[in-house]
Amino acid sequence: VEKITPAEAIRLLDAGKAQAVDVREPDEFAVGHIPGAKLLPLGDVLTRAEEVMPDKNAQWLIYCRTGRRSEIAAKALIGMGYTNVADMGGISDWKYGLEK
């Protein structure tokens, strides 16, 4: 699984070249998430990924709280045929502001 730093991620997001996907739970997402991120809880990846992430060739940046769930989700997505998935790790490393 490709790893991406928050600094690399913010450049892609600001340029409109990628979409962030938060694989935490809805209550964690509500407390604060990367602006514009889509919510896809880890437990829903296998059943809802195609609904939340319809383009399997788009650049998707996966993150969670510490990086454990994002790595699991990224591997699952690659296994489902997603071609451009990067694991951004934990939101705890994100220093660019959050929205609620």
Side-chain angles (χ1 to χ4, degrees), residues 15-72:
K17 294 181 178 176
Q19 171 70 55
V21 179
D22 190 324
V23 295
R24 299 176 300 158
E25 293 302 309
D27 58 322
E28 295 173 284
F29 186 82
V31 171
H33 54 271
I34 292 172
K38 293 177 177 272
L39 175 63
L40 179 63
L42 179 59
D44 294 343
V45 168
L46 294 177
T47 57
R48 292 192 54 235
E50 292 182 358
E51 169 193 335
V52 177
M53 304 165 57
D55 185 349
K56 289 191 174 187
N57 297 311
Q59 172 72 69
W60 301 102
L61 309 179
I62 313 301
Y63 74 93
C64 61
R65 186 174 59 85
T66 62
R68 186 184 63 79
R69 288 176 283 182
S70 62
E71 183 175 4
I72 294 167

